[in-house]
């Protein structure tokens, strides 16, 4: 992908030029998936700890940071557009910003290209160098002053989703089926236009500074996740990862402008972090990187080998989050079901869930991004055992035809997947399943597609997303014979058909919700209309599933975002339901 060039580089902000008591104003834009959002939260925490003031307006920011996504072409384009949009706020263009930093996956893929083609960019920060954000922004670390490095800078009555600018990107391609495809492009453009409302609220709370890496290193704190990972002669790893490394899975040789070194960073419970999610909810990234060989995916080259955070560090982080008022924790990673394998744990995710589920104050606990053949009986039994673990399985299956799955280098087939779903429903009664599929993978025949359709009819998935295949340079599928490539029109037609099919399945399933009493986490006024409010049940993961609209506050004059209420489902639509508050 070629990156467009624009105007000239700006002078750098030198920390020494700035009086101690004047805090540089920083605007932050976060693109991509929740895993990238956690990276943004860590970088914002580091910047805040070093004296930066995070603000909501790009126009007023002196330093702008764009944390990019590079998952698929549309995500890359969106990242570039956002960088260019932010570049317009630089002084040379009549704006106020003096410094523009680009971070994230796009940097891992196009490090040199970004600097070369967009000269307004002053510094780049890869996914493995989050602590370099301070140098990149021209700030210096400060000494630790707080025992809790987690900050929630949003006022209690604020719904963060109205403040945080999250572009749709790859993550939303997995989401609401009606919002995909043709509409996606339009919405991306629309949201890029609105990107000026950068992440974060203006009401930045005064929070005491916290430790950054220099302070921690000087204190000899060798227990931190990342340091454990990089300080050992033999790094913890999974045998599969080592084998794939020998086979070249992580090689970036063909990538002009990328460094050969893979990211190895892991944050820890002691890393400063600012929460940008609604007050009651937070993500915890339990692992980073991926060892799987999926032929359509370049995440392993971008994010490096699979590596788990220590279990005790994750539990410590969860405790700190709960002390901050978080009641819902969502565990994420490229593949959460591999958790702990590199540390010698068996059924590591189940062990981690056991340790977290008993924490007082944690009302909902869930995990996303599982790999089908790693969903074990013990994991399902652990879900069934604890009331506060969501009966929710996010298992991207990608396809149902054995021949397509083989070319995808994932394995499995419709029968194996149906057995898995049946087993999950048997061991965890009432479980909802989320999955995503890719249509139009090279070589997908009409028969393969029919098999996928038949699978969806049989499996009756609760939440389903459909990706359309797109060629990614650097992915193995890119090299497949051109004759195998499926015409774009066929790909789009297959996506539309699947969506229609799922719409019927979903509408029928949602109709069964009517009359149910549920716990509802209220998130705030609806983004679609100010006449309604929105919330989620434990069976709705943040950001990706259908919605619960609230049209009746019941005994309450007003509702408080981030609070749990008892509600009754009164109406059902294709994907969403309507509820009235009863307690
Ligand atoms: S499991 Fe497959 S699709 Fe998911 S990040 Fe790893 S390689 Fe990519």
């Amino acid at each position: 992908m070629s990156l467009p060039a624009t105007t000239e580089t700006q002078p750098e902000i030198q920390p020494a030029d700035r009086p101690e008591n004047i805090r540089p104003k920083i605007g932050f834009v976060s693109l991509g998936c929740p895993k990238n959002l956690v990276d943004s939260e860590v970088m914002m925490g580091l910047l805040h700890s070093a004296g930066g003031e995070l603000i909501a307006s790009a126009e007023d920011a002196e330093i702008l940071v764009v944390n990019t996504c590079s998952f698929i072409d549309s995500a890359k384009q969106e990242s570039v557009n956002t960088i260019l949009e932010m570049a317009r706020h630089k002084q040379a263009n009549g704006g106020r910003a003096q410094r523009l930093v680009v971070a994230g996956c796009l940097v891992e893929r196009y490090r040199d290209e970004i600097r070369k083609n967009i000269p307004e960019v002053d510094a780049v920060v890869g996914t493995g160098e989050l602590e370099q954000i301070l140098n990149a922004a021209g700030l210096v670390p400060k000494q630790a002053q707080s025992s809790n490095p987690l900050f929630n800078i949003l006022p209690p009555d604020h719904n963060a989703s109205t403040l945080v600018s999250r572009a749709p990107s790859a993550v939303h391609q997995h989401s609401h089926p009606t919002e995909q495809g043709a509409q996606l492009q339009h919405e991306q453009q629309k949201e890029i236009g609105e990107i000026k409302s950068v992440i974060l609220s203006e009401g930045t709370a005064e929070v005491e500074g916290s430790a950054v890496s220099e302070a921690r290193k000087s204190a000899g704190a060798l227990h931190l996740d990342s340091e454990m990972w990089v300080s050992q002669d033999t790094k913890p790893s999974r045998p599969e990862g080592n084998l794939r490394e020998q086979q070249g899975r992580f090689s970036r040789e063909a990538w002009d402008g990328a460094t050969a070194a893979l990211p190895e960073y892991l944050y820890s419970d002691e890393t400063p972090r600012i929460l940008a999610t609604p007050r009651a909810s937070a993500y915890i990234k339990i692992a980073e990187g991926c060892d799987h060989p999926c032929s359509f995916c370049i995440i392993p080259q971008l994010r490096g080998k699979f590596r788990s955070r220590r279990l005790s560090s994750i539990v410590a982080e969860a405790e700190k989050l709960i002390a901050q008022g978080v009641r819902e924790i969502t565990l994420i990673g490229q593949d959460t079901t591999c958790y702990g394998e590199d540390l010698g744990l068996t059924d590591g995710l189940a062990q981690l869930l056991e340790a977290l589920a008993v924490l007082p104050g944690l009302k909902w606990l869930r995990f996303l991004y599982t790999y089908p053949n790693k969903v074990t009986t013990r994991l399902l039994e652990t879900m069934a055992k604890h009331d506060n673990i969501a009966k929710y399985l996010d298992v991207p299956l990608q396809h149902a035809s054995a021949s397509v799955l083989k070319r995808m280098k994932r394995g499995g087939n419709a029968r194996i997947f149906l057995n898995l779903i049946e087993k999950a429903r048997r061991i965890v009664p009432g479980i909802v399943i989320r999955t995503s599929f890719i249509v139009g993978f090279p070589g997908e025949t009409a028969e393969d597609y029919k098999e996928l359709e038949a699978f969806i009819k049989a499996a009756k998935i609760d939440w389903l997303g459909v990706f359309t295949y797109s060629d990614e340079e650097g992915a193995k599928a890119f090299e497949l014979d051109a004759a195998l490539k499926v015409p774009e029109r066929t790909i789009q037609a297959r996506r539309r058909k699947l969506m229609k099919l799922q719409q019927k399945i979903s509408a029928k399933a949602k109709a069964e919700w009517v009359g149910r009493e549920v716990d509802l986490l209220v998130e705030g006024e609806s983004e679609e209309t100010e006449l309604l409010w929105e919330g989620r049940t434990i069976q709705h993961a943040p950001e990706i599933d259908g919605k619960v609209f609230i049209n009746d506050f019941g005994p309450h004059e007003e509702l408080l975002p981030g609070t749990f209420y008892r509600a009754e489902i009164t109406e059902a639509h294709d994907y969403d339901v309507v509820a009235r508050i009863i307690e």
Side-chain angles (χ1 to χ4, degrees), residues 411-544:
N413 59 42
R415 184 184 47 78
I416 290 171
F417 293 163
L418 282 173
N419 285 346
L420 170 66
I421 290 169
E422 184 278 320
K423 181 178 167 183
R425 287 177 173 153
R426 181 166 33 84
I427 297 178
V428 190
I431 194 169
V432 297
I433 311 278
R434 158 164 278 278
T435 193
S436 56
F437 295 110
I438 297 173
V439 287
F441 188 81
E444 182 192 63
T445 61
E447 286 69 40
D448 292 323
Y449 171 75
K450 284 263 168 254
E451 198 174 347
L452 178 55
E453 248 188 30
F455 174 82
I456 290 172
K457 280 183 197 159
K460 297 193 174 46
I461 305 282
D462 302 273
W463 305 118
L464 182 145
V466 182
F467 266 122
T468 50
Y469 173 80
S470 72
D471 254 343
E472 290 312 312
E473 212 180 334
K476 279 276 170 238
F478 184 78
E479 296 160 18
L480 289 171
D481 193 333
L484 289 174
K485 302 282 161 83
V486 180
E488 188 57 32
R489 273 181 52 197
T490 309
I491 295 178
Q492 295 299 338
R494 286 177 182 172
R495 179 190 57 80
R496 279 195 302 275
K497 265 186 93 181
L498 277 195
M499 280 165 43
K500 252 193 160 158
L501 171 61
Q502 178 61 18
Q503 192 174 0
K504 279 193 204 144
I505 293 170
S506 177
K508 211 169 159 199
K510 294 297 164 292
E512 289 171 15
W513 284 50
V514 175
R516 277 188 202 170
E517 283 189 19
V518 291
D519 283 333
L520 201 61
L521 174 57
V522 169
E523 296 196 307
E525 213 170 76
S526 168
E527 285 169 14
E528 292 173 28
T529 162
E530 57 189 30
L531 299 174
L532 299 172
W533 275 46
E534 282 177 21
R536 282 187 294 114
T537 71
I538 195 168
Q539 294 185 314
H540 293 80
E543 305 182 285
I544 44 176

Side-chain angles (χ1 to χ4, degrees), residues 35 71 174 249 289-301 303 333-335 369-372 396 398 408-410 438:
K35 290 155 276 188
F71 184 47
H174 280 292
R249 175 59 170 128
C290 180
D291 292 340
H292 292 300
C294 310
S295 60
F296 52 83
C297 183
I298 58 167
I299 295 287
Q301 292 108 299
R303 293 266 169 180
Q334 307 301 337
D335 169 5
Y369 314 120
T370 68
Y371 199 80
Q398 313 299 6
M408 286 179 167
K409 292 197 185 295
R410 284 183 64 94
I438 297 173

Side-chain angles (χ1 to χ4, degrees), residues 8 21 138 148 269 341 344 447:
E8 300 205 338
N21 56 349
N148 191 346
D269 56 298
E341 286 186 13
E447 286 69 40

Side-chain angles (χ1 to χ4, degrees), residues 56-296:
S57 153
E59 283 85 3
D60 297 328
E62 297 158 83
I63 301 165
L64 286 164
V65 183
V66 183
N67 192 18
T68 58
C69 175
S70 187
F71 184 47
I72 52 176
D73 264 349
S74 59
K76 288 180 207 168
Q77 193 55 56
E78 174 189 63
S79 293
V80 171
N81 290 351
T82 307
I83 297 166
L84 294 174
E85 173 78 23
M86 291 301 118
R88 282 183 218 127
H89 294 292
K90 287 196 70 173
Q91 280 184 340
N93 303 317
R96 186 184 168 86
Q98 299 165 45
R99 197 166 179 85
L100 176 58
V101 180
V102 175
C105 285
L106 199 74
V107 174
E108 294 297 340
R109 176 68 186 85
Y110 297 103
R111 181 179 292 264
D112 296 344
E113 297 278 297
I114 293 169
R115 298 296 301 270
K116 204 163 74 196
N117 291 301
I118 314 183
E120 289 92 340
V121 174
D122 299 287
V124 291
V125 177
T127 59
E129 348 169 271
L130 299 190
E131 294 180 353
Q132 290 303 320
I133 190 66
L134 296 185
N135 285 339
L139 302 181
V140 286
K142 284 195 179 152
Q143 204 62 34
Q145 291 172 36
S146 166
S147 60
N148 191 346
L150 290 160
F151 315 124
N152 194 327
I153 63 170
L154 297 168
D157 58 344
H158 255 91
N159 179 352
S161 61
T162 61
L163 298 168
V164 174
S165 179
R166 299 280 310 283
S169 236
V171 65
H172 284 246
Q173 278 215 358
H174 280 292
S175 70
H176 209 291
T178 53
E179 289 172 8
Q180 291 172 353
Q183 207 180 332
L184 182 71
Q185 186 99 17
H186 166 73
E187 296 202 348
Q188 282 174 345
Q189 295 308 327
K190 190 169 130 247
E191 297 219 16
I192 290 160
E194 291 165 357
I195 214 89
K196 288 186 211 105
S197 75
V198 286
I199 206 163
L200 297 172
S201 74
E202 282 156 298
T204 306
E206 282 304 318
V207 195
E208 288 198 330
S210 183
V212 288
S213 63
E214 298 313 310
R216 287 201 312 260
K217 277 174 193 154
S218 64
L222 288 173
H223 57 287
L224 301 178
D225 300 80
S226 189
E227 284 164 7
M228 179 198 77
W229 171 253
V230 296
S231 65
Q232 298 182 2
D233 291 341
T234 312
K235 294 167 188 169
S237 60
R238 300 172 62 244
E240 286 90 336
N242 299 339
L243 179 67
R244 303 256 152 75
E245 189 169 25
Q246 284 165 21
Q247 293 168 343
R249 175 59 170 128
F250 305 97
S251 170
R252 298 170 164 192
E253 251 170 49
W255 288 3
D256 285 344
T259 55
L262 286 174
E264 294 186 335
Y265 181 77
L266 283 172
Y267 81 103
S268 83
D269 56 298
E270 300 200 1
T271 311
R273 181 179 165 198
I274 281 178
L275 302 180
T277 41
R279 184 162 282 267
S281 301
Y283 294 106
I284 294 184
K285 190 153 42 162
I286 62 172
E288 184 54 276
C290 180
D291 292 340
H292 292 300
C294 310
S295 60
F296 52 83

